[in-house]
Every structure is written in structure tokens, then in C-alpha cells.
Amino acid sequence: MSQSALVVIPTYNERANIPVLVAGLMQHPGVRVLIVDDQSPDGTGAVADALATDYPGRISVLHRTGKKGFGRSYIDGLRQALSEPADVLCQMDADLSHDPRHLPDLIAATADADVVIGSRYVPGGAIVNWPKRRRVLSRVANIYIRAVTQLAARDCTSGYRCWRRAAMAALPLDRFISDGYSFLVEMLFVAARGGCRIREVPITFVERREGESKVSRAVLIESAITPWRLIANPESRRKAARNAGS
Ligand SMILES: Nc1nc2c(ncn2[C@@H]2O[C@H](COP(=O)(O)OP(=O)(O)O)[C@@H](O)[C@H]2O)c(=O)[nH]1
Ligand SMILES: [Mg+2]
């Protein structure tokens, strides 16, 4: 792999998963990792610090102390990532749902795309161990998001993504206001509006075995509202961002 990549990984109670994920990622030369931990009560932060010692110069850890949140963690993490040298910036979940083996394919695909999505819903993509309910929810969410926002991607809610540095740098991260999956949808929407070329590469998504999902009712409600907010006019978006204090 000739390109250097920095993978940003938000963690909340992922103590059993993060060492396995990092070991997998470290198999790829040129890949570095930034773990963004929200003071996980299970001690994930200390495990991450130990990994940083095990792999000198390749792992760093951002310990957040403010309000916890998936979107906010990414905003802080991606900002820090942009201040470091890397050709490609990647996003991944810590729970081993996103197999590090796919990463070289995603990174390679940035050769002719600005944003590459690790996609469950293109030919070759798959989901392992998801209950029927969760499959249906994800499918319906994507149909809904695509219908409202006109995004062309099949998997708008995938959290496994690689960005060319310039495409990420162009995002107005300080104006983003959504937090759960919506944050991922918002990123994609703004990127598409900005003219980014978005490509999908198939992945096999595997449901977590350790730890718990943080998807809550609040996250689902936000996800239902966000597509409408995104297509509203830009001025109302800016206002909403100001009101949210971001
Ligand atoms: N730093 C941080 N990470 C979070 C937070 N909520 C979720 N995550 C991480 O975001 C990733 C996706 O969350 P997960 O619970 O697996 O969501 P799911 O896969 O959609 O069920 C995992 O790596 C979580 O540890 C949060 O509030 N703060
Ligand atoms: Mg998960």
C-alpha cells in the first residue's frame, strides 16, 4: 500500500474488542490509528494507551472528557486527524463489525473516488449475525434516506469509510449537528453536495460478539428527522447549527 492512512475509531466500552481490531490494522503497513475514547467506564482508555505503547508511533489516543457522543467524538477525532500527515482518513467502528482485512481495498478505491464506503448493500456485500429486526431497520433506513436526500449510495449508514484528505478537509465539521447514524448521513450528504465522487466497495459486516450496541431510541428519532433537515435550505441549516451551539 503506497498511500498512508489514518484510521479514526470512536470507542465507548470496547475493552475486549479494541486490541483485536488494532492488531488486525497493524498488519497493514502505512496504516496508523487514532482512538477517540469517551472515558469508557470499562477502562477502554487505559487499554488504548497500552496499545499506543505496544505500537510506538502508530497508535494515538484522544481522551475526551466532555459530553459523550458518537458524532462529537468523530468531530474531535477527525479534526486532530487532519492536523497529521496522511493521504487517506478512515472511519471504523471498534466492535469488530468492520473487518480490517477490507481496509486495503477501501484505501485503494480512493484512487478514483473522494469518499469510499465499505458497503453491505452492493453485490458482494454481506451481513453476518444480524437478527431479522436489525436487518429490516437498516434496509428501511437506507430506503428512507435515499428517497428523502436523493443520495445515490446504497449504504448511507455504513460507518466504514475512507476519505481522501482534501475531501475530508473540505467538510464544515464545526457546523455538523447530528450525532448517531445521522452524523454519518450528514457527512455523506454534505460531501455529495460539495461534488465529491462517492464509491462503494463491498464488505462483510459482522455483528459484534463482545460489548453492547449504543443505538438508542434517541438515535433512531434523530435518524428519522435528519434527512428532512438536510434537504431544508442551507440558511436554516446554519441557523440550526448556531442554535445547537456548535
Ligand atoms: N467515543 C465514543 N464512541 C462511541 C459512542 N457511542 C458509540 N461509540 C462507538 O461507535 C462505534 C459504533 O457504535 P455501536 O454501539 O457498535 O453501534 P452499532 O454498531 O450501530 O450498534 C463503536 O466503536 C462504539 O464504541 C460515544 O458516545 N462516544
Ligand atoms: Mg456496532
Side-chain angles (χ1 to χ4, degrees), residues 93 95 97 207-208:
D93 288 354
D95 61 357
S97 294
E207 177 55 342
R208 65 161 75 238

Side-chain angles (χ1 to χ4, degrees), residues 14 93-98 130 134 181 205-208 210 212-215:
E14 304 287 3
D93 288 354
D95 61 357
L96 304 176
S97 294
H98 298 153
W130 253 8
R134 190 78 204 250
Y181 294 118
F205 176 101
V206 184
E207 177 55 342
R208 65 161 75 238
E210 303 288 337
E212 279 167 22
S213 168
K214 283 101 214 168
V215 172

Side-chain angles (χ1 to χ4, degrees), residues 185-205:
V185 176
E186 187 169 5
M187 286 181 91
L188 206 58
F189 182 83
V190 174
R193 275 250 161 124
C196 282
R197 296 161 303 161
I198 298 169
R199 249 192 80 180
E200 290 179 273
V201 167
I203 60 160
T204 297
F205 176 101

Side-chain angles (χ1 to χ4, degrees), residues 17-244:
N17 294 319
I18 194 74
V20 184
L21 175 60
V22 165
L25 287 168
M26 292 298 98
Q27 303 292 313
H28 305 310
V31 168
R32 287 179 298 124
V33 169
L34 170 61
I35 297 165
V36 188
D37 187 65
D38 272 359
Q39 288 190 304
S40 297
D42 76 346
T44 299
V47 173
D49 286 335
L51 289 167
T53 313
D54 291 348
Y55 300 97
R58 295 189 69 190
I59 314 281
S60 46
V61 187
L62 176 60
H63 295 277
R64 291 194 344 125
T65 50
K67 184 174 164 292
K68 95 175 184 70
F70 174 83
R72 304 314 305 177
S73 294
Y74 259 132
I75 289 170
D76 288 357
L78 292 170
R79 264 211 204 102
Q80 175 162 328
L82 280 168
S83 74
E84 296 178 24
D87 302 319
V88 178
L89 303 176
C90 309
Q91 303 176 261
M92 260 178 113
D93 288 354
D95 61 357
L96 304 176
S97 294
H98 298 153
D99 193 326
R101 271 182 313 163
H102 297 305
L103 190 67
D105 285 349
L106 267 70
I107 293 172
T110 61
D112 52 15
D114 301 300
V115 188
V116 176
I117 303 173
S119 177
R120 298 161 286 194
Y121 304 131
V122 291
I127 296 174
V128 175
N129 282 346
W130 253 8
K132 185 89 192 281
R133 203 189 125 264
R134 190 78 204 250
R135 275 174 195 273
V136 171
L137 181 65
S138 175
R139 279 289 191 181
V140 171
N142 272 289
I143 291 168
Y144 178 76
I145 290 161
R146 284 157 43 87
V148 177
T149 63
Q150 302 294 304
L151 275 165
R154 315 295 309 186
D155 196 345
C156 297
T157 55
S158 170
Y160 199 175
R161 296 175 176 174
C162 293
W163 297 70
R164 279 187 184 214
R165 159 185 286 282
M168 177 66 75
L171 292 180
L173 286 174
D174 49 342
R175 280 207 220 126
F176 281 26
I177 60 176
S178 47
D179 193 54
Y181 294 118
S182 306
F183 176 73
L184 297 169
V185 176
E186 187 169 5
M187 286 181 91
L188 206 58
F189 182 83
V190 174
R193 275 250 161 124
C196 282
R197 296 161 303 161
I198 298 169
R199 249 192 80 180
E200 290 179 273
V201 167
I203 60 160
T204 297
F205 176 101
V206 184
E207 177 55 342
R208 65 161 75 238
R209 284 201 216 112
E210 303 288 337
E212 279 167 22
S213 168
K214 283 101 214 168
V215 172
S216 62
R217 187 173 295 256
V219 166
L220 295 181
I221 292 169
E222 183 190 44
S223 305
I225 296 166
T226 297
W228 297 102
R229 192 173 52 68
L230 291 175
I231 61 166
N233 71 59
E235 184 47 41
S236 68
R237 281 196 62 220
R238 270 197 287 278
K239 226 179 187 167
R242 275 199 301 274
N243 291 344

